[in-house]
């Protein structure tokens, strides 16, 4: 009897711990070399960009605060990157030479999106998400080329 109870509790614990992590991938039909992994665990959001050609992976970690996902720069400043409310920030970090503008809470066709524009390069990212901040599409624009990851 005790063994059955232990097995049942172990199984329930395993199922509940697995359900806390939501991991999925976004791919593009026009860019076969790049893949985005999105991993949510309730308190944080991790977006990893894998590039097969360059054999590199770039990861950004966001922490959930007041129904927003916040990014902390190398100098400790916090910026809202994903929100259903409109926020606009210019992120200037002299240490990493980061110079981006971020606008969150834009709405289009029932979806929210965040625009991240590099002010030093012709690069633009658009992250589309629902009202639960689940990312379902990434649009990457470099000069006149646009790649859509879904």
């Amino acid at each position: 009897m005790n063994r059955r109870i232990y097995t049942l509790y172990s199984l329930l614990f395993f199922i509940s711990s697995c359900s806390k992590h939501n991991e999925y991938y976004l791919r593009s039909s026009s860019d076969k070399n790049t893949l985005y992994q999105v991993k949510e665990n309730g308190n944080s959001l991790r977006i990893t960009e894998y590039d097969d050609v360059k054999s590199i992976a770039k990861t950004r970690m966001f922490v959930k605060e007041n129904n927003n996902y916040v990014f902390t720069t190398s100098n400790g400043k916090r910026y809202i990157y994903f929100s259903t409310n409109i926020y606009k920030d210019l992120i200037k970090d002299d240490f990493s030479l980061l110079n981006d503008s971020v606008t969150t809470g834009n709405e289009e066709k029932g979806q929210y999106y965040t625009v991240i524009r590099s002010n030093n390069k012709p690069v633009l990212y658009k992250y589309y998400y629902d009202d639960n901040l689940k990312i379902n599409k990434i649009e990457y624009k470099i000069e006149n080329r646009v790649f859509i990851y879904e």
Side-chain angles (χ1 to χ4, degrees):
M1 182 73 160
N2 287 339
R3 188 175 187 182
R4 286 183 185 176
I5 292 173
Y6 175 76
T7 305
L8 177 64
Y9 280 118
S10 298
L11 182 64
L12 290 174
F13 176 75
F14 177 73
I15 291 171
S16 68
S17 65
C18 288
S19 65
K20 291 180 183 177
H21 297 284
N22 186 10
E23 180 178 329
Y24 52 96
Y25 296 88
L26 302 173
R27 293 175 171 83
S28 173
S29 61
S30 59
D31 180 11
K32 303 292 185 191
N33 299 321
T34 305
L35 171 73
Y36 285 92
Q37 176 192 43
V38 181
K39 188 171 184 178
E40 303 171 278
N41 75 359
N43 296 325
S44 66
L45 172 71
R46 185 181 75 197
I47 301 173
T48 304
E49 177 185 351
Y50 296 100
D51 187 328
D52 287 340
V53 174
K54 298 176 185 173
S55 298
I56 59 171
K58 294 186 261 181
T59 300
R60 278 197 160 175
M61 181 70 98
F62 304 90
V63 177
K64 194 162 194 176
E65 290 182 4
N66 301 323
N67 296 325
N68 303 314
Y69 279 116
V70 176
F71 178 74
T72 304
T73 61
S74 59
N75 63 8
K77 291 185 181 178
R78 303 167 80 80
Y79 298 98
I80 296 174
Y81 265 64
F82 302 104
S83 178
T84 55
N85 297 316
I86 294 178
Y87 293 99
K88 295 180 183 182
D89 269 317
L90 174 63
I91 300 172
K92 187 157 180 69
D93 187 348
D94 294 330
F95 178 72
S96 66
L97 302 177
L98 181 65
N99 190 5
D100 292 342
S101 62
V102 178
T103 306
T104 67
N106 303 290
E107 193 172 359
E108 176 181 286
K109 298 179 184 174
Q111 288 193 53
Y112 294 94
Y113 65 92
T114 294
V115 176
I116 302 169
R117 184 181 318 271
S118 176
N119 296 324
N120 298 331
K121 303 174 194 163
V123 175
L124 177 123
Y125 284 92
K126 269 186 169 179
Y127 292 85
Y128 291 87
Y129 46 91
D130 61 17
D131 52 355
N132 293 322
L133 304 179
K134 180 180 179 189
I135 296 173
N136 52 43
K137 182 169 105 174
I138 298 173
E139 185 178 303
Y140 172 61
K141 183 177 181 183
I142 182 164
E143 293 182 348
N144 294 327
R145 297 180 2 206
V146 177
F147 301 99
I148 298 175
Y149 303 87
E150 297 180 293

